[in-house]
Amino acid sequence: MPASPIRKLAPLADAAKQRGVHVFHLNIGQPDLPTPQAAIDAIRNIDRKVLEYSSSAGNRSYREKLTHYYAKYNICLEADDIIVTTGGSEAVLFAFLSCLNPGDEIIVPEPAYANYMAFAISAGAVIRTIATTIEEGFSLPKVEKFEELINERTKGILICNPNNPTGYLYTRREMDQIRDLVKKYDLFLFSDEVYREFIYTGSPYISACHLEGIQNNVVLIDSVSKRYSECGIRIGALITKNKEVRNAVMKFCQARLSPPLIGQIAAEASLDVSEEYSRETYDEYVERRKCLIDGLNRIPGVYSPIPMGAFYTVARLPVDDSDKFCAWCLSDFEYEGETVFMAPASGFYTTPGAGYNEVRIAYVLKKEDLTRALVVLSKALETYPGRTE
């Protein structure tokens, strides 16, 4: 199992804090915005004598209510198409375990969310990566590059849209390209769409569920963690029209008995969130994105493309090794009692040597903290002994 690039440096961050250093956490997608009050109140006002198991597929009342949420995005579902999971992570794992046999391969554009590799290893599957580059803004390569990787063991394509870690948003042309490949080779399309609320361009959100002719091939992954700042309640969803896949997934769901009851209560209450909450959250991330990207590109030697969605960016730094640099920031550096914690981008690649001078930064801190973190990062780059420019 690979170590998480997001969390593997946490002991160094803890040690820095014990020395009295303030650490700006830019390493993990943990929003600091408030969870909807309706969710907090639903937990506070639980009126039950027993905190019982829920259905292995999740509470029907929650799943039925979710169909109305997805309808707003022109995704037409029935409650039985939705299986509630313990976070989006379990949804990915159960999708792999249900659809892939040991030795089967899936194609994943890289850089990619690091835990996909861990889930594939858990299922005995093999991830074959297709490279995207920071110079091209992490857009998808031509279809021929995909077809070079397809063989008799290829069973699926996995995308994250909008993308973690790059913030890239797939275009209609790119989604149609993926659809055509899925249809031509009869592949599964695993589509992680947990960041659909956070799209910052005029481009439309194209869900895998919008693609025609591959309804039975699509397995949609979702989570409430980001849109409602509810990472800790561990509620996600696996969604598919493919009844055979759902039946296989349910075997794993039954083995783990049920998704979190209290989490489902909070998530169901969150579906009544006001438009004002969603708008304020969105506007805040728009401002944070501008603050971070403008600030990064003003630092000599640093480059970040403009992310079109989610709340991450991958930035190139003038350093010899971003793993060493990120560790050094926590263990050997501080500026006026402060330092920064970032995720080395090498952990989001499987190609050896890829991302060696890149980091993933999550803009989940308020603008004042992001502005200060950029100052600290600039000072770190000035003094880092492995600077390359």
Side-chain angles (χ1 to χ4, degrees):
M1 290 289 276
S4 168
I6 305 166
R7 293 175 179 262
K8 69 180 181 181
L9 299 179
L12 294 180
D14 292 340
K17 292 173 189 175
Q18 289 173 2
R19 296 194 304 271
V21 178
H22 178 76
V23 178
F24 289 105
H25 279 267
L26 305 173
N27 63 304
I28 193 166
Q30 170 58 65
D32 66 345
L33 298 178
T35 299
Q37 190 60 43
I40 303 294
D41 290 343
I43 294 172
R44 182 178 290 128
N45 298 325
I46 289 174
D47 183 19
R48 294 169 182 250
K49 288 188 169 65
V50 178
L51 296 175
E52 73 278 10
Y53 290 126
S54 71
S55 160
S56 293
N59 290 336
R60 175 160 286 276
S61 61
Y62 177 45
R63 290 184 286 131
E64 288 178 347
K65 206 167 178 180
L66 274 173
T67 64
H68 301 293
Y69 162 79
Y70 290 111
K72 294 188 295 185
Y73 292 92
N74 198 29
I75 299 173
C76 299
L77 301 171
E78 297 177 1
D80 287 341
D81 298 329
I82 303 169
I83 296 173
V84 181
T85 57
T86 306
S89 295
E90 187 180 75
V92 178
L93 176 61
F94 283 4
F96 287 178
L97 288 168
S98 301
C99 299
L100 307 172
N101 288 321
D104 284 350
E105 298 180 358
I106 51 175
I107 299 172
V108 184
E110 71 173 351
Y113 178 53
N115 283 337
Y116 294 151
M117 176 59 73
F119 302 143
I121 289 171
S122 299
V126 177
I127 284 184
R128 300 287 302 277
T129 54
I130 187 164
T132 66
T133 66
I134 195 169
E135 290 81 10
E136 295 180 346
F138 300 108
S139 60
L140 279 184
K142 288 184 169 54
V143 68
E144 290 78 17
K145 292 293 184 182
F146 279 88
E147 295 196 302
E148 287 173 9
L149 296 179
I150 293 176
N151 58 57
E152 68 279 0
R153 294 183 301 276
T154 307
K155 293 298 186 294
I157 295 173
L158 169 66
I159 61 171
C160 181
N161 185 37
N163 188 267
N164 173 12
T166 66
Y168 187 74
L169 178 70
Y170 291 115
T171 64
R172 164 59 79 176
R173 181 189 63 79
E174 289 169 326
M175 291 297 285
D176 285 346
Q177 168 185 324
I178 291 170
R179 176 204 61 200
D180 293 345
L181 282 168
V182 166
K183 203 169 184 179
K184 180 177 179 180
Y185 295 99
D186 192 22
L187 305 174
F188 286 110
L189 175 55
F190 306 105
S191 188
D192 183 343
E193 301 181 11
V194 305
Y195 298 99
R196 72 173 61 79
E197 269 80 11
F198 309 115
I199 293 173
Y200 311 116
T201 71
S203 303
Y205 156 63
I206 309 298
S207 169
C209 292
H210 295 153
L211 304 176
E212 296 179 1
I214 59 169
Q215 186 177 31
N216 267 356
N217 302 70
V218 170
V219 179
L220 186 71
I221 309 299
D222 206 358
S223 168
V224 302
S225 292
K226 312 303 181 177
R227 62 176 170 262
Y228 302 133
S229 292
E230 291 175 343
C231 300
I233 69 170
R234 308 312 302 136
I235 295 296
L238 184 152
I239 297 165
T240 183
K241 293 284 187 179
N242 188 317
K243 188 174 181 180
E244 193 176 358
V245 170
R246 291 201 308 269
N247 289 341
V249 170
M250 281 304 300
K251 295 175 185 178
F252 294 101
C253 291
Q254 289 164 358
R256 62 87 161 104
L257 303 184
S258 69
L261 171 67
I262 293 175
Q264 290 180 82
I265 291 170
E268 184 171 340
S270 299
L271 289 170
D272 295 324
V273 71
S274 68
E275 287 188 17
E276 182 182 11
Y277 174 89
S278 301
R279 185 173 61 253
E280 288 178 355
T281 299
Y282 176 87
D283 290 345
E284 178 65 21
Y285 281 123
V286 170
E287 290 298 314
R288 292 179 181 189
R289 180 183 73 139
K290 177 173 173 50
C291 173
L292 178 69
I293 304 305
D294 288 353
L296 284 172
N297 287 320
R298 280 197 294 265
I299 300 174
V302 176
Y303 169 67
S304 171
I306 300 174
M308 293 177 280
F311 39 64
Y312 309 99
T313 194
V314 171
R316 186 171 59 205
L317 307 180
V319 298
D320 58 347
D321 184 319
S322 61
D323 282 87
K324 291 180 182 176
F325 174 68
C326 289
W328 175 86
C329 283
L330 295 169
S331 61
D332 295 274
F333 169 81
E334 64 178 81
Y335 175 69
E336 296 181 350
E338 298 173 323
T339 193
V340 289
F341 186 0
M342 299 171 293
S346 61
F348 298 92
Y349 293 86
T350 59
T351 302
Y356 75 94
N357 62 349
E358 297 172 358
V359 293
R360 188 196 74 166
I361 297 175
Y363 44 98
V364 292
L365 303 180
K366 60 185 179 182
K367 285 180 289 182
E368 294 81 2
D369 286 346
L370 285 176
T371 300
R372 181 61 184 172
L374 287 163
V375 171
V376 175
L377 173 59
S378 179
K379 295 296 182 182
L381 289 168
E382 287 176 12
T383 56
Y384 177 58
R387 186 183 174 100
T388 57
E389 293 178 15

